Amino acid sequence: MLTNEIKSDIKQCYENLNQQLSQFVPRRAQNYLVSEIAKTLAGEYDPKQRILVAEAGTGIGKSLAYLMGGIPYAMANKKKLLIATATVALQEQLLHKDLPLFQRLYGKPFDFILAKGRQRYCCQHKLIASLNDDPNEQIVLWEHKPKKKELDLLERMLTAYQAGKWDGDRDSWPSMIPDTVWQQIVADKHSCHTGIAKHRDCPFAKARENLDKADVIIANHALLMADLDLGGGIILPEPEDTIYVLDEAHHLPLVARDFASASASLKGSSQWLEKMNQSLSKWTALADKRKADRFHSTLQEQIQYLVPSFSQIFKAIDSSKFNKDNVYRFEHGELPSWLEEEAKACHLASKKAAQALAKISDLLMERLRDNDVSPKQAEPALIEIGNYQQRLDNLDKVWGLMAQPNKTKGAPLARWIALSGDRQDDGVVHVSPLEVGYQLDQQLWSKAAGAILVSATLRALNQFGYFCRQVGLREDEQVQFLALASPFDYANHATLLVPNLRLEPQADGFTELLIEELPAYLYDQSASLILFSSYWQMNKVADALRDKAKTEQWQWLVQGEESRSVLLAKHKAACEAGKISVLLGTGSFSEGLDLPGNLLTNLIITKIPFAVPTSPVEAAHSEYIERKGGNPFMQISVPEASKKLIQSVGRLIRKEQDEGRVVLLDRRVISRQYGTALLNALPPFKRDIHS
C-alpha cells in the first residue's frame, strides 16, 4: 500500500511543479497517470503482478508522470528505478531536462546516471596498443594496415583521455568516430576486465562504479536485454530490486527479437578460425605450455573440424532454393536432416573451442597475476584472445540456435542462409525467434519488483491485445491497462483530408500520379512533410518535383541527401524566414520528429504504412500464423499499419496551439473493409473525405 509519506511526497512534487513552471497547465490525465503508476507499484491492484501498460497521448507529460509516481515509491522502498528508452533523444531529455527538474521538485536527495553498454566505451589499453610502432604488436588489433588519418585520430583521443579531457565514451567525442577505428579500441567482456591491472581504472570500470551508487538509471532497451540475457543483475541492478520504466515501449518487441537473433558467415568464420590457429602456439607458450597443451590440442581439433565443415555446408546447399533476394529460408524453421546433424556437430565443436580458449586465457591471466609473464607480453595476447572469444561465443550461439529442435508449442525459429552481398561464394547463416513474449515473461515480468510500460502508441486498432501478445503479457492477468487521450483539441486544430485519387498505391502509375497531384497540396503551405513508403519512390518524386518547381522559390529537403540534423536545421531556418520548405522522408521520419508550431502545418502521407513482408522473419511469421489457421494480414499487417499510421499523423500536432492538416493519399481507408478501423484509431481530426 502507499504510505502517507509517499502520498505526501507526490503531492508536494505536484505543488512544486506549479511553482517551478511559469506556464504550467494542470492536466487531469497526467494526474491520473501518476496515481495509477504509484498504486500499481504499491501493489494496490495485485501484490505480485505490479505491472501497468499505459498509452499516454502526446502532450500528457508522461516522463514527468512516471518520475513523480515512481521515484518517491522506489526511494521509500529502497528500490532502483531503471528507465529504458529506445532513442538517444529521449535519454538526453531525461538526463538534461526532466530529471534535473524533478530533483528540484522532489526536494529529497537522489542520484541519477546514464548507463551504457561496454561497446560505448574505449579500452584504454587497446587505445595505447593500437598506436604501438611495433608491427607485430599492432597487428593484434588491426585487421588492416592502419591509415595515417586513423592513427592521427587515435593519437588525439589518447592525448585527450590522458589529459582528462575525454572520458572514453564514444558519444562524448566531439566528432564521429568511424566504425573501423572504434572496433580496434572498443572494450570487450573477455579482455577488458579488472583482472588486468591496467583495466581497473578504465572508462567502463569507472562508469560501472558510478552506476552502483545511482538511485535512478537511464539505459536503452538493448542494454536492458543484454543484462537480462546474462540472467539479470550483471550489468544493471538485480530485477528483484528494480522498478522498470519502459518508455517508448512499442519498440521493445523488435529490440528483444533482434537481441535474441544471431548470424555468422561461413567463409568469413573459416578465415578468422584459421587466423586464430596461427596464434595458438604463441598463446600456449605464454600460458605455460605444459598446462595449456591439452587445451591447445582441443582447440586445434575443433578448428580442423569447423573449417572444412563450413565449406561443405555451403557446397551442399541446393542453389535453386535461393530466391531473387539470394535468401534460402527453411520453411517452418525445419532443417533438412543432413543440415540438422551438421548444426549439432558445429554447435558442439564451437562450444568446445570456446571453452578451450577460455581455459588458455585463464592460465595466461594466472601467470600474469603471479608475475610469471610480463604485462608487455601478456596483455596484447589477452586482447587478441578476447577478440576471438567473442567470435567463438557468437558461433556457439548461431549453431546452438540452428541445432535447437522446434518446440511442440509456440512459434518455431526462423532459419535461413543468405548469400553474402556481392560475394556469391559465401553464405551467412541467420537464426531469429518469431515471438519473444515467453522470453520476456521469464526474464523480466516474473522477476521485476515492478514495471511501467509507456508510449504514445501501444494500442493497435484501439486494442492492447496485439502489443500484449508481442511482449508476453496476458490481458486476463492482473496487469493494469490505461489509455489516456492527448489533451490536444484535434477536432478544432487539425483536418484529415482524404482526396479522391483515381489510383491506389499498389497500382501501376501511382508514382507518376503523385508527381502530378502533390503540387496541388503544397502551393498554399509554407511547412510540409511528405512521408513515402520507399526511398526509390521518394527520390523519383523529389527529382521530378524539383524540375517542375524550378521557377518557384521552394526549398526541397530529401532524407539521405544530408544528415537528419542538417535537414531539420535548414527547414527551421527557411520556415522562420517565411520561405516555403518541403521535407521528404520515409518511415523513419514518422517517429521522433518534433516540428512544433509553424515548422509543420501540412503533413502528406502517400500510403498506409503496410510493411512489405519480404524479410525472412516476416515471411516465417506469416507462415506460422497461416499454419495455425490465422490470417497474417489481419493479425500482423493491419495492427502494425495502424500503429505506424498513428505515429505518422502524430508528427503534426506537437503543442496545444499547433494547427494544420493531414493529407492521406491512400483511398484504401475508404475502399477496404479494414479502412474504418484504421481511421477510427486515429486522433479525432475533423474529417474531409472526398467520395
Side-chain angles (χ1 to χ4, degrees):
M1 300 295 287
L2 284 172
T3 64
N4 289 332
E5 180 186 1
I6 296 172
K7 291 178 182 177
S8 176
D9 284 346
I10 294 174
K11 183 179 179 183
Q12 189 62 52
C13 286
Y14 198 77
E15 290 174 356
N16 291 343
L17 180 61
N18 192 11
Q19 297 170 6
Q20 286 276 344
L21 300 181
S22 57
Q23 297 181 331
F24 175 68
V25 178
R27 289 174 177 155
R28 291 181 62 187
Q30 187 182 52
N31 288 343
Y32 189 55
L33 181 55
V34 172
S35 172
E36 290 301 291
I37 288 171
K39 287 194 288 187
T40 299
L41 294 178
E44 293 197 5
Y45 294 115
D46 188 279
K48 293 182 179 179
Q49 194 81 301
R50 303 184 185 204
I51 300 175
L52 171 67
V53 178
E55 181 180 272
T58 306
I60 285 176
K62 63 181 183 302
S63 57
L64 207 52
Y66 58 66
L67 296 180
M68 207 176 298
I71 290 178
Y73 177 82
M75 295 294 290
N77 288 276
K78 295 182 170 41
K79 303 293 184 186
K80 300 277 190 179
L81 187 80
L82 188 139
I83 307 168
T85 79
T87 62
V88 173
L90 182 52
Q91 290 177 356
E92 291 178 346
Q93 176 189 314
L94 288 162
L95 190 66
H96 301 301
K97 180 183 174 185
D98 295 339
L99 279 163
L101 171 60
F102 189 75
Q103 276 186 323
R104 300 195 297 272
L105 302 179
Y106 187 39
K108 295 182 178 181
F110 71 89
D111 296 317
F112 60 88
I113 192 172
L114 176 62
K116 298 182 182 182
R118 204 184 290 266
Q119 276 71 36
R120 304 312 297 174
Y121 296 94
C122 85
C123 165
Q124 65 169 333
H125 181 61
K126 284 185 179 181
L127 180 56
I128 294 167
S130 66
L131 290 163
N132 196 310
D133 291 332
D134 184 344
N136 292 325
E137 290 194 25
Q138 199 176 67
I139 201 169
V140 166
L141 295 172
W142 291 96
E143 293 186 3
H144 62 275
K145 185 178 179 180
K147 299 173 184 175
K148 184 180 184 302
K149 65 178 182 180
E150 294 175 327
L151 294 174
D152 289 345
L153 172 59
L154 290 169
E155 189 71 55
R156 294 197 303 275
M157 292 165 72
L158 179 59
T159 301
Y161 181 76
Q162 292 176 334
K165 296 180 179 179
W166 180 50
D167 59 2
D169 181 344
R170 184 178 188 177
D171 301 313
S172 64
W173 186 253
S175 60
M176 189 192 77
I177 303 172
D179 287 341
T180 52
V181 173
W182 186 252
Q183 290 310 312
Q184 314 309 321
I185 62 171
V186 63
D188 70 81
K189 67 179 180 179
H190 293 294
S191 59
C192 305
H193 54 74
T194 54
I196 303 174
K198 287 187 178 179
H199 294 282
R200 290 171 192 158
D201 197 36
C202 70
F204 182 65
K206 289 178 183 176
R208 284 294 300 274
E209 285 176 12
N210 294 329
L211 186 65
D212 293 339
K213 300 171 187 174
D215 303 298
V216 178
I217 300 163
I218 309 165
N220 62 23
H221 292 169
L223 183 60
L224 170 60
M225 292 310 305
D227 184 59
L228 296 177
D229 191 57
L230 293 170
I234 307 301
I235 306 170
L236 301 170
E238 295 282 352
E240 291 81 1
D241 297 324
T242 305
I243 293 166
Y244 295 88
V245 175
L246 297 161
D247 203 342
E248 301 175 314
H250 60 282
H251 286 283
L252 183 62
L254 184 57
V255 173
R257 191 179 75 186
D258 286 348
F259 196 84
S261 304
S263 63
S265 155
L266 292 168
K267 188 169 184 177
S269 296
S270 296
Q271 289 172 341
W272 65 254
L273 282 167
E274 289 172 339
K275 190 175 178 182
M276 180 176 69
N277 193 38
Q278 294 168 10
S279 299
L280 265 180
S281 297
K282 175 184 66 177
W283 302 337
T284 305
L286 288 171
D288 187 334
K289 192 172 185 305
R290 181 179 56 83
K291 292 182 179 179
D293 246 358
R294 65 189 180 99
F295 303 118
H296 178 139
S297 298
T298 299
L299 187 49
Q300 216 163 35
E301 287 170 11
Q302 308 317 313
I303 293 170
Q304 288 167 357
Y305 177 81
L306 288 169
V307 170
S309 292
F310 291 161
S311 177
Q312 289 165 12
I313 287 170
F314 186 71
K315 288 177 182 175
I317 295 169
D318 183 353
S319 60
S320 67
K321 297 285 188 179
F322 286 94
N323 63 20
K324 60 181 177 59
D325 297 318
N326 290 325
V327 169
Y328 172 14
R329 184 177 65 81
F330 301 100
E331 291 186 5
H332 309 297
E334 296 169 356
L335 303 180
S337 56
W338 70 268
L339 184 53
E340 189 176 341
E341 292 306 312
E342 286 282 12
K344 290 176 183 176
C346 288
H347 176 221
L348 182 61
S350 300
K351 184 176 287 296
K352 284 182 177 180
Q355 291 170 342
L357 187 58
K359 290 291 186 182
I360 293 172
S361 179
D362 290 343
L363 288 171
L364 181 51
M365 279 291 301
E366 187 179 307
R367 294 199 77 205
L368 178 61
R369 284 193 294 266
D370 294 341
N371 296 316
D372 293 333
V373 63
S374 72
K376 186 177 180 181
Q377 289 177 299
E379 289 177 357
L382 285 167
I383 292 170
E384 191 176 10
I385 291 171
N387 289 336
Y388 286 119
Q389 281 181 289
Q390 285 187 299
R391 293 175 176 182
L392 282 172
D393 286 347
N394 183 61
L395 267 191
D396 181 27
K397 182 177 181 180
V398 169
W399 291 105
L401 290 171
M402 283 291 280
Q404 183 177 301
N406 280 340
K407 299 172 183 175
T408 53
K409 291 184 179 180
L413 292 168
R415 298 178 172 100
W416 71 99
I417 295 176
L419 296 181
S420 181
D422 296 331
R423 293 178 55 179
Q424 300 296 301
D425 62 341
D426 188 16
V428 181
V429 179
H430 297 266
V431 194
S432 173
L434 298 182
E435 297 176 350
V436 292
Y438 177 78
Q439 175 188 341
L440 286 170
D441 180 45
Q442 296 296 303
Q443 294 180 339
L444 184 54
W445 315 134
S446 62
K447 293 182 179 180
I452 309 298
L453 293 81
V454 293
S455 172
T457 317
L458 286 180
R459 294 181 300 165
L461 306 173
N462 289 319
Q463 301 292 326
F464 283 107
Y466 179 64
F467 177 73
C468 286
R469 289 192 296 275
Q470 287 183 305
V471 297
L473 293 173
R474 292 175 58 184
E475 289 183 277
D476 57 351
E477 292 179 348
Q478 293 305 307
V479 177
Q480 302 308 304
F481 293 92
L482 188 61
L484 298 170
S486 168
F488 298 158
D489 185 3
Y490 289 104
N492 290 311
H493 284 229
T495 299
L496 172 64
L497 170 62
V498 183
N500 187 11
L501 296 188
R502 66 178 184 271
L503 296 176
E504 293 184 350
Q506 71 276 25
D508 292 338
F510 184 73
T511 300
E512 288 69 26
L513 181 64
L514 288 178
I515 295 167
E516 176 187 330
E517 295 284 346
L518 276 171
Y521 303 102
L522 296 170
Y523 277 120
D524 59 344
Q525 302 291 325
S526 60
S528 299
L529 168 63
I530 311 175
L531 294 175
F532 292 87
S533 60
S534 71
Y535 275 100
W536 173 85
Q537 188 178 69
M538 174 187 70
N539 289 323
K540 186 169 183 180
V541 170
D543 290 343
L545 291 183
R546 277 173 170 154
D547 289 340
K548 254 188 168 186
K550 275 183 179 176
T551 57
E552 305 287 347
Q553 297 302 305
W554 290 10
Q555 176 176 249
W556 300 91
L557 301 168
V558 183
Q559 182 183 359
E561 292 186 351
E562 293 178 284
S563 72
R564 181 162 165 159
S565 58
V566 169
L567 290 175
L568 296 182
K570 287 185 174 182
H571 179 73
K572 182 178 180 181
C575 292
E576 290 176 348
K579 298 178 181 177
I580 294 174
S581 182
V582 183
L583 276 166
L584 297 89
T586 60
S588 61
F589 269 37
S590 67
E591 187 176 358
L593 206 63
D594 194 22
L595 298 169
N598 68 345
L599 298 183
L600 181 59
T601 56
N602 186 42
L603 172 65
I604 302 174
I605 301 170
T606 59
K607 173 183 179 292
I608 298 170
F610 286 117
V612 181
T614 55
S615 84
V617 176
E618 290 166 335
H621 203 182
S622 296
E623 179 182 73
Y624 169 62
I625 289 173
E626 288 176 346
R627 195 178 197 178
K628 293 200 307 178
N631 182 332
F633 180 74
M634 294 305 297
Q635 289 176 237
I636 301 177
S637 300
V638 173
E640 278 294 336
S642 175
K643 286 203 305 180
K644 290 176 182 175
L645 192 57
I646 294 167
Q647 288 162 1
S648 297
V649 301
R651 298 312 96 214
L652 183 67
I653 305 294
R654 306 301 298 170
K655 296 185 181 300
E656 288 183 87
Q657 299 308 313
D658 289 356
E659 295 184 339
R661 103 186 149 182
V662 175
V663 182
L664 179 56
L665 300 177
D666 192 335
R667 293 288 298 172
R668 288 177 294 179
V669 291
I670 307 303
S671 63
R672 297 292 193 273
Q673 191 173 1
Y674 56 77
T676 301
L678 291 176
L679 283 176
N680 290 341
L682 296 178
F685 300 118
K686 178 184 176 182
R687 293 184 184 178
D688 182 6
I689 297 175
H690 295 195
S691 57

